[in-house]
Amino acid sequence: MSGNAPLILNADDPRLADVCNRIDRDILYYGIDSGTAEVRATEIDEADGATCFNVRYYGRTASVRIPVIGRHNVYNALAAFSVGLTAGMAPEDIVAGRREYEPSAMRQKIGKKDGKTVNIHCYNASPDSMKAALSVLKALPNARKIALLGDMLELGGASEEGHRHTGEWVADAGVDALIAYGPRSAAMAEAAKARGVAAVHCQTAEEVLQYVRQFVRPGDAVLVKASHSMGLEQLLQEYYKELPQG
C-alpha cells in the first residue's frame, strides 16, 4: 500500500486491535463490541431472515437493514460501510446499497422446500465460515435443526483439527442431526457424536441422500455447507426432484 492509503480493520479482532500502535498510517476501525471503533454496530435485531441495526460513526447514526442474518454479516456490512465512507460516498447511499444486497447462489441462500427451511452455503468452506453458518442455523426459529456438512478442502495440516472443531460447534449450535459427507468429515461426525448429536458419516452421495430422506421433516431447518468441489448443491437438486412439485 502507498504511504497515504487508509487501512480499514476490525477492532473486535485481537490480532488487529493494536495495529494502530504499531504502524504510522491512517486506520479506520469498525466493530460491534469495541467501544473505540469509529464505525460501530448497535441495537442488532435479527428477524424474518433479515438483520436491522444502527451504525454509529463520527457522532452520527444511520439505520441499516440487510437481507441476511448472522453476526458475521453485520461485520461484512460494517466493513462495506467503512469503505464507502473512506471513498467519500454519502452515508444514505451506502445504506441504500446495503438494502439491495443479495447473496450469490451458493452463499447463505435461505429458501423453503416442501415446508423445510434450507440454508445453502456451497461456494466454499473453512472452519471460521462453518462456525458462522452454524450460528445462523442456531438463530433460526425452527424446532428441529439438521446440518448436512461436507469436507473442507485445502486446510493442510489443520484439516483434522478443523473438522473436529466443526463437530463440536455442531453440538454447541443445538443441531438435532448431523449428516457428515466425505473422508475428512469423519472427525466432524465423531466429535459431534461424542457431544450427544445424532451424527452419521457418509462416503457416497447415495448415502447422503438416504439419510436426508430419513432425517429431514417438514418444519425442519437444514444447513448445507461444504467446499464447492464436494458437490452438495447437485445432491440437493437430486433431493428436490423427489419432493412434491407445485
Side-chain angles (χ1 to χ4, degrees):
M1 298 172 66
S2 62
N4 62 349
L7 187 60
I8 298 171
L9 299 176
N10 184 347
D12 293 344
D13 188 330
R15 297 164 295 188
L16 303 176
D18 71 336
V19 169
C20 58
N21 299 321
R22 294 188 273 123
I23 63 172
D24 184 17
R25 178 184 295 277
D26 288 337
I27 296 177
L28 174 60
Y29 275 110
Y30 64 89
I32 298 173
D33 300 322
S34 172
T36 60
E38 290 92 344
V39 177
R40 184 167 174 253
T42 63
E43 294 87 46
I44 299 170
D45 181 53
E46 296 178 333
D48 300 323
T51 305
C52 297
F53 57 96
N54 288 328
V55 177
R56 302 191 185 278
Y57 63 101
Y58 303 129
R60 301 176 64 188
T61 301
S63 296
V64 177
R65 181 185 186 277
I66 52 176
V68 287
I69 62 175
R71 185 180 174 95
H72 58 294
N73 283 313
V74 176
Y75 281 117
N76 291 340
L78 289 173
F81 193 91
S82 301
V83 169
L85 286 180
T86 303
M89 291 180 65
E92 55 270 24
D93 292 337
I94 305 172
V95 170
R98 291 288 79 200
R99 285 196 298 266
E100 296 170 5
Y101 166 74
E102 289 187 15
S104 63
M106 290 180 285
R107 294 180 187 267
Q108 199 184 117
K109 292 293 284 187
I110 300 179
K112 294 274 189 180
K113 287 289 182 180
D114 191 34
K116 302 140 186 151
T117 302
V118 183
N119 185 0
I120 305 172
H121 292 253
C122 297
Y123 183 80
N124 211 338
S126 68
D128 282 347
S129 68
M130 282 285 196
K131 188 175 186 179
L134 285 163
S135 74
V136 172
L137 180 63
K138 183 177 182 178
L140 292 175
N142 308 65
R144 291 181 76 249
K145 298 176 172 65
I146 312 294
L148 166 53
L149 306 180
D151 284 0
M152 298 175 282
L153 307 181
E154 301 174 358
L155 295 184
S159 181
E160 181 168 354
E161 180 185 25
H163 285 86
R164 191 167 297 281
H165 281 323
T166 300
E168 295 168 353
W169 297 329
V170 164
D172 293 342
V175 171
D176 295 280
L178 166 67
I179 304 168
Y181 176 43
R184 297 168 181 82
S185 292
M188 184 194 303
E190 181 181 314
K193 192 177 294 186
R195 293 200 172 196
V197 178
V200 294
H201 177 237
C202 304
Q203 291 283 10
T204 68
E206 184 51 45
E207 282 184 278
V208 173
L209 285 172
Q210 172 189 331
Y211 282 111
V212 169
R213 298 181 193 112
Q214 178 181 330
F215 287 167
V216 181
R217 310 169 192 164
D220 290 352
V222 185
L223 168 65
V224 181
K225 185 166 177 62
S227 287
H228 186 209
S229 61
M230 294 302 294
L232 286 188
E233 66 276 16
Q234 284 85 17
L235 281 175
L236 276 182
Q237 293 308 314
E238 289 300 312
Y239 173 62
Y240 290 162
K241 290 177 185 177
E242 303 172 3
L243 299 178
Q245 302 301 308

